[in-house]
Amino acid sequence: QRRVRGVRSFDWIIFPCISCQVGTGEMKGLVCVLGLLLAHPALGLHCHDDITLTDPQEYTYTIPGYATGSGADGTATVKEILEYWGNFHVNFFVFGSFAGNPTDSVSPAKMSAGLYMKNGSLIHSLEIDCSANTWATYITLNTTGLVTVYQSGELETPCVEGENFDMWFKIQQQYMMQWIYNEEAMQYGYHRTSFNKGQRRLRTKNKSGYTPTAWDKWRFRPLAIPMMHTADKAHSFRLSASGAASFKRFAFGKCIAWPEELSSNCTAANNWFTARDKNDEPAGQYGNSIKVWMPQCASLGSIYWDHLNEVVKPDENVPSSKNPQCYCCCTDMTTGLVYGGPDKWDTYCAVYSPDTAICPMDSVCMEVTYNSALYAEALGMMDDEDHEEEEGKMIA
């Protein structure tokens, strides 16, 4: 398999740099940090990497599947990226906090995160300035070749001492990618694209037969960014902070991750995700995921997680298929994580198509993660009407 799993078998490891080889010796994963790092006990679901940062203000992550290949500069070609990941849809999660006054006039807190080429050229980045209460995104402009502000604005919620922050960056396509900072979409403007998605395409008749003219369905997408360097040229993802701002954790992959402090409360994690998905406000059309991948709870309003998560986002190891496939996994009802940790993903997760099959892990999960006492407690957290409805489902 393409995923590098080696470092996940330990609770805590300290090292300055890791390199991992798989398959025929091609370098698939290389993580180098400015400082030390700790392997994190994988709080996300099927993330390629989930890392606790010990140097709180500088970090560089070299991107698996992008950084090494047969391209002119030694990075992967578009074909190689698609062979490794299946598509360009990878997520970068950054979690941090403000240890002091982030608006201090002498040393104000600033945070920046960005995608870079192997030669150090900027592809796309975000900067948060707590003192000015502003945000700005930067690109290397395609018309001038100069680093310039792409979009900017004021933060809706100011930086606050003692509070946490998060940054979620997603690559959608080579020219389309977006940032979310603390529920706020760090962009504006959109374009309308036509698509089929199983719908009939309209046609007009002419002398040569029928000619497609337009799709009969439309969707609104974030703007294509006028950048000189595109996502397929990416080599690394860099973080930098100053003042009271510090980074605590970084996660990457075709996955979903949430703040560590929410792992003991499914509903809180669910609300965190919903505020950043494409189907709900405030992120809305600029959201970084569809609603179907949200955390699944034991019941409405419960702190406990469902013992069987039937729709875990597919990662790079799930093959493309005519019928969309995903994972279903046995999950710990108190943490939402796959039972047994990342080393047991192959044991307690299975790939299947929800449209055509039932999760093959159902009976297994009933044995290892189902907890009737926790479900009973979860039902007690609901309103009477919801309690009766959910209880009926369980009995059935």
Side-chain angles (χ1 to χ4, degrees), residues 155-176:
L155 295 175
E156 295 178 8
T157 304
C159 308
V160 178
E161 181 176 355
E163 291 195 356
N164 298 320
F165 65 85
D166 58 82
M167 308 165 85
W168 182 354
F169 177 63
K170 182 173 184 178
I171 297 175
Q172 296 274 14
Q173 299 173 7
Q174 291 159 283
Y175 286 92
M176 193 168 72

PDB file of all heavy atoms in Angstrom, residues 155-176:
ATOM      1  N   LEU A 155     -10.806  40.404   9.890  1.00  0.00           N
ATOM      2  CA  LEU A 155     -11.281  39.220  10.593  1.00  0.00           C
ATOM      3  C   LEU A 155     -12.615  39.519  11.266  1.00  0.00           C
ATOM      4  O   LEU A 155     -12.784  40.579  11.890  1.00  0.00           O
ATOM      5  CB  LEU A 155     -10.266  38.780  11.648  1.00  0.00           C
ATOM      6  CG  LEU A 155      -8.898  38.309  11.147  1.00  0.00           C
ATOM      7  CD1 LEU A 155      -7.975  38.031  12.338  1.00  0.00           C
ATOM      8  CD2 LEU A 155      -9.036  37.062  10.284  1.00  0.00           C
ATOM      9  N   GLU A 156     -13.552  38.604  11.164  1.00  0.00           N
ATOM     10  CA  GLU A 156     -14.837  38.782  11.834  1.00  0.00           C
ATOM     11  C   GLU A 156     -14.707  38.577  13.330  1.00  0.00           C
ATOM     12  O   GLU A 156     -15.417  39.196  14.124  1.00  0.00           O
ATOM     13  CB  GLU A 156     -15.861  37.804  11.261  1.00  0.00           C
ATOM     14  CG  GLU A 156     -16.190  38.061   9.798  1.00  0.00           C
ATOM     15  CD  GLU A 156     -17.171  37.048   9.255  1.00  0.00           C
ATOM     16  OE1 GLU A 156     -17.711  36.248  10.057  1.00  0.00           O
ATOM     17  OE2 GLU A 156     -17.416  37.044   8.041  1.00  0.00           O
ATOM     18  N   THR A 157     -13.799  37.672  13.731  1.00  0.00           N
ATOM     19  CA  THR A 157     -13.565  37.400  15.141  1.00  0.00           C
ATOM     20  C   THR A 157     -12.113  37.693  15.472  1.00  0.00           C
ATOM     21  O   THR A 157     -11.205  37.122  14.854  1.00  0.00           O
ATOM     22  CB  THR A 157     -13.877  35.931  15.479  1.00  0.00           C
ATOM     23  OG1 THR A 157     -15.217  35.626  15.089  1.00  0.00           O
ATOM     24  CG2 THR A 157     -13.696  35.666  16.961  1.00  0.00           C
ATOM     25  N   PRO A 158     -11.836  38.572  16.424  1.00  0.00           N
ATOM     26  CA  PRO A 158     -10.451  38.940  16.733  1.00  0.00           C
ATOM     27  C   PRO A 158      -9.692  37.815  17.439  1.00  0.00           C
ATOM     28  O   PRO A 158     -10.288  36.882  17.994  1.00  0.00           O
ATOM     29  CB  PRO A 158     -10.613  40.146  17.656  1.00  0.00           C
ATOM     30  CG  PRO A 158     -11.943  39.945  18.313  1.00  0.00           C
ATOM     31  CD  PRO A 158     -12.801  39.321  17.267  1.00  0.00           C
ATOM     32  N   CYS A 159      -8.385  37.895  17.411  1.00  0.00           N
ATOM     33  CA  CYS A 159      -7.531  36.952  18.142  1.00  0.00           C
ATOM     34  C   CYS A 159      -7.655  37.259  19.639  1.00  0.00           C
ATOM     35  O   CYS A 159      -7.625  38.430  20.039  1.00  0.00           O
ATOM     36  CB  CYS A 159      -6.078  37.111  17.709  1.00  0.00           C
ATOM     37  SG  CYS A 159      -5.815  37.025  15.923  1.00  0.00           S
ATOM     38  N   VAL A 160      -7.767  36.217  20.462  1.00  0.00           N
ATOM     39  CA  VAL A 160      -7.997  36.404  21.894  1.00  0.00           C
ATOM     40  C   VAL A 160      -6.983  35.585  22.693  1.00  0.00           C
ATOM     41  O   VAL A 160      -6.770  34.403  22.409  1.00  0.00           O
ATOM     42  CB  VAL A 160      -9.430  35.996  22.290  1.00  0.00           C
ATOM     43  CG1 VAL A 160      -9.639  36.141  23.792  1.00  0.00           C
ATOM     44  CG2 VAL A 160     -10.453  36.825  21.513  1.00  0.00           C
ATOM     45  N   GLU A 161      -6.396  36.190  23.674  1.00  0.00           N
ATOM     46  CA  GLU A 161      -5.430  35.512  24.528  1.00  0.00           C
ATOM     47  C   GLU A 161      -6.043  34.277  25.173  1.00  0.00           C
ATOM     48  O   GLU A 161      -7.166  34.309  25.677  1.00  0.00           O
ATOM     49  CB  GLU A 161      -4.928  36.473  25.615  1.00  0.00           C
ATOM     50  CG  GLU A 161      -3.898  35.865  26.553  1.00  0.00           C
ATOM     51  CD  GLU A 161      -3.345  36.871  27.548  1.00  0.00           C
ATOM     52  OE1 GLU A 161      -3.689  38.068  27.437  1.00  0.00           O
ATOM     53  OE2 GLU A 161      -2.568  36.455  28.434  1.00  0.00           O
ATOM     54  N   GLY A 162      -5.297  33.172  25.152  1.00  0.00           N
ATOM     55  CA  GLY A 162      -5.743  31.937  25.774  1.00  0.00           C
ATOM     56  C   GLY A 162      -6.638  31.077  24.908  1.00  0.00           C
ATOM     57  O   GLY A 162      -6.960  29.941  25.297  1.00  0.00           O
ATOM     58  N   GLU A 163      -7.054  31.566  23.752  1.00  0.00           N
ATOM     59  CA  GLU A 163      -7.947  30.782  22.900  1.00  0.00           C
ATOM     60  C   GLU A 163      -7.168  30.054  21.799  1.00  0.00           C
ATOM     61  O   GLU A 163      -6.034  30.398  21.491  1.00  0.00           O
ATOM     62  CB  GLU A 163      -9.018  31.679  22.280  1.00  0.00           C
ATOM     63  CG  GLU A 163     -10.017  32.201  23.301  1.00  0.00           C
ATOM     64  CD  GLU A 163     -11.262  32.771  22.644  1.00  0.00           C
ATOM     65  OE1 GLU A 163     -11.327  32.828  21.392  1.00  0.00           O
ATOM     66  OE2 GLU A 163     -12.184  33.164  23.387  1.00  0.00           O
ATOM     67  N   ASN A 164      -7.816  29.058  21.229  1.00  0.00           N
ATOM     68  CA  ASN A 164      -7.220  28.283  20.149  1.00  0.00           C
ATOM     69  C   ASN A 164      -7.615  28.848  18.796  1.00  0.00           C
ATOM     70  O   ASN A 164      -8.606  29.586  18.676  1.00  0.00           O
ATOM     71  CB  ASN A 164      -7.664  26.823  20.233  1.00  0.00           C
ATOM     72  CG  ASN A 164      -7.224  26.154  21.511  1.00  0.00           C
ATOM     73  OD1 ASN A 164      -6.106  26.358  21.988  1.00  0.00           O
ATOM     74  ND2 ASN A 164      -8.092  25.335  22.096  1.00  0.00           N
ATOM     75  N   PHE A 165      -6.869  28.492  17.778  1.00  0.00           N
ATOM     76  CA  PHE A 165      -7.227  28.856  16.409  1.00  0.00           C
ATOM     77  C   PHE A 165      -6.949  27.658  15.502  1.00  0.00           C
ATOM     78  O   PHE A 165      -6.208  26.741  15.866  1.00  0.00           O
ATOM     79  CB  PHE A 165      -6.461  30.091  15.922  1.00  0.00           C
ATOM     80  CG  PHE A 165      -4.973  29.897  15.799  1.00  0.00           C
ATOM     81  CD1 PHE A 165      -4.411  29.345  14.648  1.00  0.00           C
ATOM     82  CD2 PHE A 165      -4.124  30.285  16.829  1.00  0.00           C
ATOM     83  CE1 PHE A 165      -3.035  29.173  14.533  1.00  0.00           C
ATOM     84  CE2 PHE A 165      -2.744  30.114  16.727  1.00  0.00           C
ATOM     85  CZ  PHE A 165      -2.200  29.554  15.576  1.00  0.00           C
ATOM     86  N   ASP A 166      -7.553  27.674  14.330  1.00  0.00           N
ATOM     87  CA  ASP A 166      -7.283  26.618  13.358  1.00  0.00           C
ATOM     88  C   ASP A 166      -7.273  27.190  11.946  1.00  0.00           C
ATOM     89  O   ASP A 166      -7.937  28.185  11.650  1.00  0.00           O
ATOM     90  CB  ASP A 166      -8.316  25.486  13.465  1.00  0.00           C
ATOM     91  CG  ASP A 166      -9.750  25.954  13.269  1.00  0.00           C
ATOM     92  OD1 ASP A 166     -10.165  26.097  12.105  1.00  0.00           O
ATOM     93  OD2 ASP A 166     -10.454  26.169  14.276  1.00  0.00           O
ATOM     94  N   MET A 167      -6.500  26.562  11.094  1.00  0.00           N
ATOM     95  CA  MET A 167      -6.400  26.916   9.683  1.00  0.00           C
ATOM     96  C   MET A 167      -6.570  25.625   8.882  1.00  0.00           C
ATOM     97  O   MET A 167      -5.919  24.636   9.167  1.00  0.00           O
ATOM     98  CB  MET A 167      -5.043  27.564   9.380  1.00  0.00           C
ATOM     99  CG  MET A 167      -4.708  28.720  10.303  1.00  0.00           C
ATOM    100  SD  MET A 167      -2.955  29.213  10.247  1.00  0.00           S
ATOM    101  CE  MET A 167      -2.976  30.313   8.841  1.00  0.00           C
ATOM    102  N   TRP A 168      -7.452  25.664   7.892  1.00  0.00           N
ATOM    103  CA  TRP A 168      -7.730  24.486   7.069  1.00  0.00           C
ATOM    104  C   TRP A 168      -7.557  24.894   5.611  1.00  0.00           C
ATOM    105  O   TRP A 168      -8.277  25.741   5.094  1.00  0.00           O
ATOM    106  CB  TRP A 168      -9.132  23.984   7.348  1.00  0.00           C
ATOM    107  CG  TRP A 168      -9.550  22.743   6.601  1.00  0.00           C
ATOM    108  CD1 TRP A 168      -8.865  22.076   5.625  1.00  0.00           C
ATOM    109  CD2 TRP A 168     -10.782  22.020   6.770  1.00  0.00           C
ATOM    110  NE1 TRP A 168      -9.574  20.990   5.171  1.00  0.00           N
ATOM    111  CE2 TRP A 168     -10.752  20.934   5.865  1.00  0.00           C
ATOM    112  CE3 TRP A 168     -11.894  22.189   7.596  1.00  0.00           C
ATOM    113  CZ2 TRP A 168     -11.806  20.028   5.766  1.00  0.00           C
ATOM    114  CZ3 TRP A 168     -12.932  21.288   7.495  1.00  0.00           C
ATOM    115  CH2 TRP A 168     -12.887  20.215   6.594  1.00  0.00           C
ATOM    116  N   PHE A 169      -6.580  24.290   4.959  1.00  0.00           N
ATOM    117  CA  PHE A 169      -6.289  24.585   3.558  1.00  0.00           C
ATOM    118  C   PHE A 169      -6.587  23.341   2.728  1.00  0.00           C
ATOM    119  O   PHE A 169      -6.195  22.236   3.098  1.00  0.00           O
ATOM    120  CB  PHE A 169      -4.822  24.977   3.397  1.00  0.00           C
ATOM    121  CG  PHE A 169      -4.389  25.227   1.974  1.00  0.00           C
ATOM    122  CD1 PHE A 169      -4.941  26.250   1.222  1.00  0.00           C
ATOM    123  CD2 PHE A 169      -3.405  24.434   1.387  1.00  0.00           C
ATOM    124  CE1 PHE A 169      -4.538  26.488  -0.084  1.00  0.00           C
ATOM    125  CE2 PHE A 169      -2.987  24.655   0.078  1.00  0.00           C
ATOM    126  CZ  PHE A 169      -3.550  25.689  -0.653  1.00  0.00           C
ATOM    127  N   LYS A 170      -7.271  23.537   1.604  1.00  0.00           N
ATOM    128  CA  LYS A 170      -7.578  22.415   0.726  1.00  0.00           C
ATOM    129  C   LYS A 170      -7.239  22.735  -0.712  1.00  0.00           C
ATOM    130  O   LYS A 170      -7.582  23.807  -1.218  1.00  0.00           O
ATOM    131  CB  LYS A 170      -9.058  22.033   0.813  1.00  0.00           C
ATOM    132  CG  LYS A 170      -9.391  20.818  -0.064  1.00  0.00           C
ATOM    133  CD  LYS A 170     -10.808  20.324   0.154  1.00  0.00           C
ATOM    134  CE  LYS A 170     -11.048  19.062  -0.681  1.00  0.00           C
ATOM    135  NZ  LYS A 170     -12.400  18.516  -0.465  1.00  0.00           N
ATOM    136  N   ILE A 171      -6.546  21.800  -1.347  1.00  0.00           N
ATOM    137  CA  ILE A 171      -6.328  21.889  -2.788  1.00  0.00           C
ATOM    138  C   ILE A 171      -7.507  21.212  -3.470  1.00  0.00           C
ATOM    139  O   ILE A 171      -7.799  20.044  -3.211  1.00  0.00           O
ATOM    140  CB  ILE A 171      -5.017  21.195  -3.200  1.00  0.00           C
ATOM    141  CG1 ILE A 171      -3.813  21.883  -2.552  1.00  0.00           C
ATOM    142  CG2 ILE A 171      -4.873  21.189  -4.724  1.00  0.00           C
ATOM    143  CD1 ILE A 171      -2.492  21.187  -2.823  1.00  0.00           C
ATOM    144  N   GLN A 172      -8.194  21.952  -4.335  1.00  0.00           N
ATOM    145  CA  GLN A 172      -9.302  21.389  -5.101  1.00  0.00           C
ATOM    146  C   GLN A 172      -8.840  20.933  -6.479  1.00  0.00           C
ATOM    147  O   GLN A 172      -9.064  19.806  -6.894  1.00  0.00           O
ATOM    148  CB  GLN A 172     -10.421  22.429  -5.258  1.00  0.00           C
ATOM    149  CG  GLN A 172     -11.065  22.850  -3.957  1.00  0.00           C
ATOM    150  CD  GLN A 172     -12.186  21.910  -3.546  1.00  0.00           C
ATOM    151  OE1 GLN A 172     -12.328  20.814  -4.078  1.00  0.00           O
ATOM    152  NE2 GLN A 172     -12.976  22.328  -2.577  1.00  0.00           N
ATOM    153  N   GLN A 173      -8.189  21.859  -7.184  1.00  0.00           N
ATOM    154  CA  GLN A 173      -7.662  21.604  -8.512  1.00  0.00           C
ATOM    155  C   GLN A 173      -6.363  22.381  -8.643  1.00  0.00           C
ATOM    156  O   GLN A 173      -5.951  23.088  -7.730  1.00  0.00           O
ATOM    157  CB  GLN A 173      -8.668  22.019  -9.582  1.00  0.00           C
ATOM    158  CG  GLN A 173     -10.002  21.264  -9.525  1.00  0.00           C
ATOM    159  CD  GLN A 173     -11.017  21.824 -10.498  1.00  0.00           C
ATOM    160  OE1 GLN A 173     -10.720  22.686 -11.317  1.00  0.00           O
ATOM    161  NE2 GLN A 173     -12.243  21.328 -10.404  1.00  0.00           N
ATOM    162  N   GLN A 174      -5.750  22.314  -9.813  1.00  0.00           N
ATOM    163  CA  GLN A 174      -4.465  22.973  -9.992  1.00  0.00           C
ATOM    164  C   GLN A 174      -4.545  24.481  -9.778  1.00  0.00           C
ATOM    165  O   GLN A 174      -3.615  25.090  -9.246  1.00  0.00           O
ATOM    166  CB  GLN A 174      -3.921  22.663 -11.395  1.00  0.00           C
ATOM    167  CG  GLN A 174      -3.501  21.205 -11.556  1.00  0.00           C
ATOM    168  CD  GLN A 174      -3.461  20.773 -12.995  1.00  0.00           C
ATOM    169  OE1 GLN A 174      -4.494  20.519 -13.597  1.00  0.00           O
ATOM    170  NE2 GLN A 174      -2.264  20.699 -13.566  1.00  0.00           N
ATOM    171  N   TYR A 175      -5.664  25.100 -10.186  1.00  0.00           N
ATOM    172  CA  TYR A 175      -5.819  26.545 -10.037  1.00  0.00           C
ATOM    173  C   TYR A 175      -6.854  26.923  -8.975  1.00  0.00           C
ATOM    174  O   TYR A 175      -7.181  28.093  -8.833  1.00  0.00           O
ATOM    175  CB  TYR A 175      -6.255  27.176 -11.369  1.00  0.00           C
ATOM    176  CG  TYR A 175      -5.160  27.253 -12.404  1.00  0.00           C
ATOM    177  CD1 TYR A 175      -4.971  26.230 -13.322  1.00  0.00           C
ATOM    178  CD2 TYR A 175      -4.308  28.363 -12.461  1.00  0.00           C
ATOM    179  CE1 TYR A 175      -3.968  26.303 -14.288  1.00  0.00           C
ATOM    180  CE2 TYR A 175      -3.305  28.446 -13.415  1.00  0.00           C
ATOM    181  CZ  TYR A 175      -3.140  27.412 -14.321  1.00  0.00           C
ATOM    182  OH  TYR A 175      -2.149  27.491 -15.266  1.00  0.00           O
ATOM    183  N   MET A 176      -7.368  25.957  -8.247  1.00  0.00           N
ATOM    184  CA  MET A 176      -8.430  26.256  -7.291  1.00  0.00           C
ATOM    185  C   MET A 176      -8.110  25.623  -5.944  1.00  0.00           C
ATOM    186  O   MET A 176      -7.940  24.405  -5.836  1.00  0.00           O
ATOM    187  CB  MET A 176      -9.773  25.746  -7.811  1.00  0.00           C
ATOM    188  CG  MET A 176     -10.964  26.280  -7.038  1.00  0.00           C
ATOM    189  SD  MET A 176     -12.532  25.948  -7.886  1.00  0.00           S
ATOM    190  CE  MET A 176     -12.682  24.189  -7.633  1.00  0.00           C
TER     191      MET A 176
END
